[in-house]
Amino acid sequence: MSTLVDKQLALEAEMGSMGVASYFKNLEKQGQAENVVGMALINHSLQPLIERLKEFTESTKSGQARRLGSTARYLEMIGHKEVAFLTLRRVINGISGKERMVSMAEAIAKLLEDELNYRAFRKEAPRLMDAIIRNLKSTAANTQHKKKVLMGAKTKLAGIENTTLPDEVRIRIGVKLIELVTELNLCQLVTHVEGKNKTVVYVESTDSLQVWLAMQNRTCSLLSPVFLPMVTKPKAWSTMKDGGYLETPLTLMKTRNKKYLAELDEVDMPIVYESINALQDTPWTINKAIYNVMRTLWDTTGGGIAKMPLREGKPIPMKPIDIDTNPEALKEWKARAAATHNENFKNRSKVVALTQKLWLAEKFIDEEAIYFPHVMDWRGRAYAVPGFVNPQSDDFGKALLQFSQGKPLGSEGAAWLAIQLANTFGYDKVDFDKRIEWAEENTQAILDSALKPVEGNRFWLLADKPFQFLAACFEWLGYTMQGEAFVSRIAVALDGSCNGLQNFSAMLRDERGGRATNLVPSEKPSDIYQEVASVVQGFIDEDAAIGHLEALIWKSALYRDGEQYVNKPIGRKLTKRNTMTRPYSVTAFGMRDQLIQELDTMIEEGEIMFIGEDVDIAKAAYYLADRNLQAISTVVVAAEEAMKWLQDVSKVVSKLDIAVVWTTPVGLPVRQFYTNNLAETLRVFIAGEATNIQYNKQGSTLNSRKQSAGISPNFVHSCDAAHMMRTVALCKSKGINSFSMIHDSYGVHACDTRLLADTLREAFVYQYSEDVLGKFREEIIYQLNNSGGEELIKDIPPMPKYGSLDLATVLDSEYFFA
C-alpha cells in the first residue's frame, strides 16, 4: 500500500509540474494581457489611466498643451475608457519583452483607428457586419484576415469610407498614450545605442512590475495543476475541503463564496457525501483492447475513421492548370481551398483532445485500478476532476475505461449487454425486446468487429458511438465463448428521456408531459423529440397553406435517405436540441442559434437540401425555432408554467436584494446569487468583433435579471442532481459499488442494470412524492419573513396547476431511463 501512496504522491508532484509548464506555454502563446494576471493588471490600472486621459484633455483646452489639441480631440472622439483599455492591453502585451516605442506607438494608433472604423460600420450597416462576423466565426480566419474582410466589406458593400488618422497625429497619439502609462509605473522608456551612434527608444516594464508579474505568474502556475487520475482511493469527503487527492487541495463545491462553504460544513447531508464518495471510490482500468485499436488506427490511418479527426488535416486541393488564365477556375479553387483550410482549423482542437486521451491511456494502461476524484457545482451536479479521459468523457474517453472489478454477466446481464450494443449503435428508439433481437441478428457482424476490428468488415464503424459499441462487441465475443459466466467490465448505461422535462412533469403531476417523457408505462419508448416534430410539422402545413414563405421553404426541403434525397416531414433532429434545453430556460434567440449551427452542419454533411438559390438559412432557422418553441409549449404545458412561476418568484425575492435559497430533496442547501458587476462595461472591437469588457471588482448587489433567467435551469439541475445522489446511495445499500454517472445517464455492470433501473424509479418516485415546488415556496416565504420582506409574501404568484399523473406508475415504466 505504501508503494501505491508513494506513487500517488509522485503523480501529484507531476501534476503540479505539468500545470506550471502548461501555464507558461499558454502565456507565451496568448500574451500577458490575455491571462488572469494581465487582466487583473488592466483592471487595476484602467481607472487611473482614464483619469490621466481626462486631465490631458482638459490641459489642451486650457492652453497648457494646445499643440496636442488634435490628439486630445481624437481621444475624446473614441472615448477615454475605450482608449485606456486598448492602450493598456497593447502595452502589457508588448512589455513582456521589450519593444521599440515607435512601433508600439504605431500599433496603438492603428488600434484606435480600427475602433473608429468598426464603429462606423456597426452604425451604418449593422446587419451586414453581423452576417460577416457570423461567417468569420466558423472559419479559420486569423485577426488580420478578419480585419481585411470586414474593412473590404465596409467600403465595397456598405460604401463607407475608411477613417484614417492624419500622419502628423498617428505617432503623436501613440507616444502620448505610452507616456501616460509610464506615469502609472507600469513601463519605462529606455534609450539604447545601436549601430553607429543610432539611438533607439524601447518600452520596457519597470523593475517592480517585472518582479510582480513573475511572482503572480508563478503563483498562478502553481495553482493550475493538470489533474490526473489517482492510483489510490481518493480521500473521502466529510467536509467541503477534506477529500480528493492526497496532497493536492480540492474543494467539494465549486464556489467562490467562502462563507457559504463554511455554512455547508455545518449541514447534515449524508446522502450528498455518501454518493460523491461512492462515485470517486469506483475503481477503473484502461480498456487495453480499445486502446490498441484506437492507437493502431491513429498511427496507421492518421484518423478520419470511427469519427476520429484527421491527424494531418485534409490536403489543400490542387491548383487547376489554367488558374492564371481562367478567372472562374481561380474562384472555384479559392472557395474549395478556403473550405478545406477552415475544416482543418476546426479539426486541430479535436486532434489535440484525442492525442491527450491516448497519452493518458498509455500512461495508466498497466495500472490495476485508477480512480477519479469528484466534486460538485453549487446545484449539486457531480463532476470528475481529471480531464482527458473520465467516466463523463466523449465516446473515445468513455470507451477507454472499464470497471476494474468485473462481474459475471448472468442471464439478466447478457440481455442488458445486448441492449447496450443496440443503444450505442443507435438502434435505441424501439422496445427492449427488439434491441435484444437486433443484437442477436447481427451477432456475426458483431463478432467480426471484435475478432478483426481493423482488418475485418468493420461493422462497428457504422455505430453512433463507434468505440463504445466496439467495447460492447468485445464483451459479446466473451459472452459467446463463455456464456453467462463471462466476467463483464464495461458500464451499461441507462439514459433519461429529456431529463429536465421528466423532472418538471413529475413535480407537477403532468399527464401529457409524463407520457411524452416515459413516466407512464408503454409498450415502446415515447419519443418527445419526435412528438414535438409532429406538432411542428402541423404548424408548417398550416402556414404553408396560406403562403408563408419560410413555411414553404421547410415544406419543400429534401432530406438524404441513403443515396437519394426525399421530401418528408421535419424530423426529431431539428427539434431535439431545442426541446432538451427548453427546461433550462433557453430563449427563442438561443434556440435560433442552435438551429443555425445544426443546419450548417447538416448542409455541410449533405443531410439536407433546400430548393432554390436564394434561401435565407437564418430566416428559415428563426421561423423553425419559433414553431419549435410553440410546439414544446403545447406538448409540455405544465413545464412552461413551472418555469414562469419560478421566474416570477425570483423577481419577488430580488426586491430584497437577497439570494434565492432552497434545499434539494437530499438536503443540500442551494444558494443562487448573481451579482451586478460594479465595473463599467466597455464595448470595443477586437479582431473586428464587438467585445464587452468588464473591469473593476465584482459587485455585491443583486442582478435581478440574471436571478430570474437562472432560477429555472438551476432549480431543475438541483433536482436531477438530487435524484442521481439518492439513486447512488440506494444502489450502494443494495450491493452495487461501481458507478459511471453523468447527470442524466447512469451506468453500472451489466448484471446490475436491472437493479439500477428499479432503483432509479424508486428514488424518483420517493423524491417527487413530496411536493417539491410547494416546499420551495415554503422556503421562500421563510426567507422573506426572516429578511424583512413580510409584505412581499402576497406578491408570490399562485402555484401552477397540478395534474392527475399517478407517480406510482413510474415504478412500472420500463423506458423511464432506457
Side-chain angles (χ1 to χ4, degrees), residues 440-742:
E440 292 171 345
E441 290 170 359
N442 287 280
T443 288
Q444 198 62 41
I446 291 169
L447 296 181
D448 178 76
S449 293
L451 290 166
K452 295 181 289 183
V454 177
E455 304 87 359
N457 295 323
R458 299 183 178 185
F459 176 66
W460 65 278
L461 294 182
L462 303 176
D464 281 357
K465 301 171 182 176
F467 283 103
Q468 288 179 78
F469 177 74
L470 181 59
C473 289
F474 287 132
E475 297 235 331
W476 195 250
L477 172 63
Y479 166 62
T480 304
M481 296 172 64
Q482 300 177 32
E484 296 172 6
F486 172 71
V487 176
S488 173
R489 294 180 184 273
I490 67 168
V492 172
L494 298 176
D495 296 350
S497 304
C498 195
N499 195 231
L501 291 177
Q502 281 185 314
N503 282 272
F504 272 130
S505 298
M507 69 178 74
L508 289 168
R509 310 292 194 275
D510 176 30
E511 305 94 324
R512 181 167 185 181
R515 285 195 301 274
T517 58
N518 291 298
L519 301 187
V520 177
S522 59
E523 293 183 1
K524 62 179 183 179
S526 298
D527 186 349
I528 188 171
Y529 311 123
Q530 187 55 55
E531 185 172 344
V532 170
S534 298
V535 175
V536 170
Q537 188 60 46
F539 294 150
I540 291 173
D541 293 342
E542 292 173 7
D543 292 342
I546 58 174
H548 193 295
L549 179 60
E550 277 72 39
L552 290 170
I553 290 173
W554 284 106
K555 186 79 173 171
S556 61
L558 300 176
Y559 301 86
R560 187 176 63 199
D561 185 6
E563 299 298 320
Q564 299 179 328
Y565 281 91
V566 297
N567 180 254
K568 60 182 180 180
I570 287 284
R572 68 194 301 276
K573 188 167 187 177
L574 289 167
T575 63
K576 182 175 181 179
R577 192 173 173 197
N578 284 176
T579 307
M580 284 178 66
T581 54
R582 183 57 190 151
Y584 309 117
S585 295
V586 65
T587 63
F589 290 106
M591 293 171 73
R592 292 170 183 177
D593 288 342
Q594 290 173 353
L595 277 172
I596 287 175
Q597 292 173 14
E598 191 72 59
L599 282 172
D600 284 345
T601 301
M602 292 178 71
I603 291 170
E604 185 178 324
E605 296 179 357
E607 293 183 50
I608 191 171
M609 181 187 299
F610 291 101
I611 306 301
E613 296 180 0
D614 300 323
V615 174
D616 190 324
I617 300 299
K619 285 186 177 180
Y622 291 174
Y623 167 81
L624 188 60
D626 290 341
R627 290 296 178 262
N628 279 354
L629 180 57
Q630 187 180 352
I632 294 165
S633 301
T634 302
V635 174
V636 281
V637 178
E640 293 285 332
E641 292 176 353
M643 291 163 60
K644 175 69 165 56
W645 182 80
L646 287 166
Q647 290 165 359
D648 289 342
V649 171
S650 174
K651 290 174 184 175
V652 173
V653 178
S654 293
K655 293 176 182 178
L656 288 179
D657 198 32
I658 60 174
V660 179
V661 178
W662 68 93
T663 306
T664 75
V666 291
L668 173 69
V670 176
R671 183 181 186 275
Q672 177 183 290
F673 191 80
Y674 292 113
T675 60
N676 279 313
N677 202 302
L678 289 179
E680 294 186 44
T681 299
L682 211 61
R683 188 176 177 84
V684 294
F685 287 88
I686 298 175
E689 187 172 341
T691 305
N692 289 325
I693 305 296
Q694 290 184 322
Y695 62 97
N696 286 341
K697 65 180 180 180
Q698 185 182 31
S700 57
T701 58
L702 192 76
N703 186 319
S704 56
R705 184 189 61 78
K706 286 186 178 180
Q707 287 288 99
S708 177
I711 187 65
S712 175
N714 291 330
F715 183 74
V716 78
H717 279 322
S718 75
C719 289
D720 66 45
H723 177 225
M724 188 275 288
M725 288 178 169
R726 189 178 298 279
T727 299
V728 170
L730 280 173
C731 283
K732 190 166 176 58
S733 71
K734 297 176 182 180
I736 298 177
N737 293 303
S738 293
F739 300 94
S740 176
M741 298 296 197
I742 310 176

Side-chain angles (χ1 to χ4, degrees), residues 253-264:
M253 180 176 284
K254 294 186 278 188
T255 176
R256 296 178 181 176
N257 191 324
K258 294 181 180 179
K259 182 181 177 182
Y260 178 36
L261 284 175
E263 291 171 357
L264 288 173

